[in-house]
Amino acid sequence: MSQDTFADNFGSISYSNNDGNQNWSTNWLEYNDNNSASNGYIRVWGNQLFFYYIWSENIRRTADLSGYSSASLSFDWETSSLEAGETLVIQISSDGSSFTTLDTFSGTQSGTFDQDISAYMSNNTIIRFRKGSNDWSGSNDRVYIDNVLITATSVPQTDSDGDGIIDVVDLDDDNDGITDEEEYCSTISAPFLTSSDVGERSVVINHTDTGYLRLDFSSMDNSFQLDINGSTIHPSVLEFENGALDVGDEYFVFQSDGSFISQPWVANSNGIPRLRLVVNEYGEISLYGSRNTSSTSLELMEAQGGTPFNTIAWIPENNNTFTLTNQQGPGPEGFTGELFASGICDTDGDGISNHLDLDSDNDGILDIIESGVLNESGVTDANNDGRIDGATTNSGSNGLFNAIEDVDTEYAIHSYSIFDSDSDGSYDAYVLDADGDGCNDVREAGFTDNDDDGYLGPNPITINSEGIVTSGSDGYTTPADNDSNATYDFREAGTAPTITSQPMDVTTCPGCTTSISATVIADQFQWQYYKGSSWINLSDTGIYSGTTTNILTIANPTQSENNTPYRLMVSNDSFVCGSTTSNTATLILQVSTVITNRKVTYRVNKN
């Protein structure tokens, strides 16, 4: 989001000062005075805009606010000796002919004015200072205005995934099949008040690091106001029942035909909320409603009088406070539903937010794989770029791939469940050990993790503009499925085998056959023997067989095998982070002490 300013700090005696980063469309223009900045009833004096003894005199200035998404006006003010009925007003117009009074200043006092003027943005937005009601009676009636500032905000027109839908309205900014809402983090979900005839009530909810808010009302009886960080979402209270308008309220109706919602105090029978209000990451607000209790869709709603919503200023990485107020009415008041708040976040800390990051945890496995969306019919990523094939042309008006959404609207949700393999509440795409088995995904996928930190490759990590690790030697290929059961190993919890019966020492004679065994359930077996200073893998050659089973057979050993230590290494295919090693068993060769030759028996000294 970018900001422009139109400002005049009155640092010089001129009506043409441009102290912001944008120029005003006109100078200050006086009416019914001499149009001089240095003298007259209105002038620049003492580095302020000065008014005294005002009757019909007024002054105005114009700014081009077209193309901006929101704007605010602020200035410092001071009044002196204005008697009853003597006032100065600030007015605004979007067409130069119809002016709206924003505030009135009187008496002897001072302060700062600051108000949202988004409703009046145009290519001809005019602010005007003039008297309010009575003529000012004397030259000691004075007002000083300083630091006039219009701050205009524009929403970026960025389209990160190139699908023709700008990010601000795109539900999936990177086309990885996970909606932006699901890629946010640090969420809360809080209940509302229940309906009761007890008068006006409020509920206050605090949440840290918010950049997205969704309110789902299952019932509304019959009006509410939402305050976020001290600013209301609309200049008026939002009223939904026809015939129940109070002072300070404004009716909200369906944009398409201006009709009212039917019985908003009755919940829908199919789980769809009666009302949904969304505040996006840019502070922009949208409101949707279901027409009746059997509606199967939400439709856009707006103020009947056309007054737009205010733009909310989020406070990144700080507390944000939501105050929901239910106004007192002639009958029961209250609402039921859920508040969902979430923060824009960067799980792997690589400087790219999750909703734009194709590998949100830097483990070398693309989010599109970890989400499970590739299991859905019609969803592919043949070129392995981390984006759904065809998403740029088949994502409709909301930027979410058509095959995985419930409806092509601004409030669409996934038609599939994102994988959370260990059911710990965190999706696989944002954790380094998706199945919770103590073995990091990067290793279970078959990729290199030089320092065993769970991230692909060595440290420091380098990434490209899409969050892909470029400093690794591998990654971003099909993850391993060593047991060939159609479930990736990183998604399948595994453990190292446990040996329930250890191999034992065995005594045999030269030329005899014997075996060493262990009791264990495992996928892989490897017998080893100790030679000098290291353990050597055995193979089925010479005197050995069964070297990759749980029973090692030794046939016709010679004196050179006497006192040789053996052990068994076992592992499971779906758990690459550890194997189990048996106890050592020693082969002992012993010559028989009795020899029979030609029916003559000799006893041999065993030593």
Side-chain angles (χ1 to χ4, degrees), residues 545-566:
S545 62
T547 56
T548 56
T549 71
N550 68 314
I551 302 174
L552 174 65
T553 299
I554 306 173
N556 301 316
T558 65
Q559 189 61 35
S560 62
E561 279 77 47
N562 186 37
N563 291 322
T564 298
Y566 296 88

Side-chain angles (χ1 to χ4, degrees), residues 240 253-261 272-276 286-292 295-302 409-411:
F240 297 94
V253 295
F254 291 103
Q255 186 184 70
S256 61
D257 58 8
S259 62
F260 283 84
I261 188 172
I272 293 178
R274 295 313 312 273
L275 297 168
R276 170 171 288 176
S286 301
L287 177 69
Y288 307 91
S290 50
R291 287 182 179 264
N292 52 60
S295 294
T296 58
S297 64
L298 293 168
E299 301 178 45
L300 192 64
M301 302 187 77
E302 65 178 4
T409 63
E410 301 92 335
Y411 56 84

Side-chain angles (χ1 to χ4, degrees), residues 145-394:
I145 301 294
D146 199 4
N147 301 318
V148 174
L149 173 67
I150 293 177
T151 302
T153 303
S154 59
V155 173
Q157 301 300 298
T158 306
D159 176 17
S160 298
D161 53 15
D163 60 3
I165 310 298
I166 62 172
D167 290 356
V168 69
V169 294
D170 193 330
L171 298 185
D172 182 7
D173 287 348
D174 57 3
N175 277 343
D176 64 355
I178 314 175
T179 61
D180 297 342
E181 180 177 309
E182 296 288 354
E183 296 202 87
Y184 300 157
C185 59
S186 182
T187 61
I188 62 168
S189 180
F192 296 158
L193 304 171
T194 56
S195 184
S196 178
D197 189 7
V198 294
E200 180 173 297
R201 294 174 300 163
S202 295
V203 57
V204 179
I205 301 168
N206 292 292
H207 181 50
T208 301
D209 193 23
T210 307
Y212 177 84
L213 177 72
R214 186 187 74 238
L215 291 178
D216 280 347
F217 294 96
S218 56
S219 66
M220 170 55 60
D221 196 5
N222 293 310
S223 60
F224 81 96
Q225 180 62 280
L226 173 63
D227 180 293
I228 302 178
N229 299 326
S231 299
T232 59
I233 62 170
H234 194 271
S236 304
V237 173
L238 285 67
E239 174 62 57
F240 297 94
E241 183 184 3
N242 193 4
L245 198 67
D246 292 324
V247 175
D249 294 1
E250 187 166 355
Y251 284 131
F252 277 76
V253 295
F254 291 103
Q255 186 184 70
S256 61
D257 58 8
S259 62
F260 283 84
I261 188 172
S262 174
Q263 296 182 302
W265 54 88
V266 180
N268 284 342
S269 58
N270 54 14
I272 293 178
R274 295 313 312 273
L275 297 168
R276 170 171 288 176
L277 185 140
V278 175
V279 186
N280 69 15
E281 61 193 276
Y282 301 104
E284 297 179 326
I285 298 172
S286 301
L287 177 69
Y288 307 91
S290 50
R291 287 182 179 264
N292 52 60
T293 57
S294 60
S295 294
T296 58
S297 64
L298 293 168
E299 301 178 45
L300 192 64
M301 302 187 77
E302 65 178 4
Q304 189 180 56
T307 309
F309 284 102
N310 297 327
T311 299
I312 297 302
W314 291 118
I315 309 176
E317 299 181 2
N318 285 280
N319 183 64
N320 290 270
T321 302
F322 315 113
T323 304
L324 272 166
T325 302
N326 192 211
Q327 279 69 32
Q328 182 174 2
E333 296 83 22
F335 35 51
T336 56
E338 180 182 72
L339 179 148
F340 173 87
S342 187
I344 310 301
C345 61
D346 174 17
T347 297
D348 52 19
D350 61 5
I352 299 178
S353 298
N354 289 355
H355 66 294
L356 298 173
D357 196 329
L358 297 178
D359 179 11
S360 296
D361 55 4
N362 279 346
D363 62 357
I365 311 171
L366 293 166
D367 291 352
I368 196 173
I369 293 176
E370 294 197 90
S371 70
V373 68
L374 292 178
N375 293 348
E376 298 302 299
S377 177
V379 182
T380 60
D381 181 21
N383 61 357
N384 200 41
D385 66 351
R387 304 182 190 276
I388 296 175
D389 295 338
T392 55
T393 55
N394 293 286

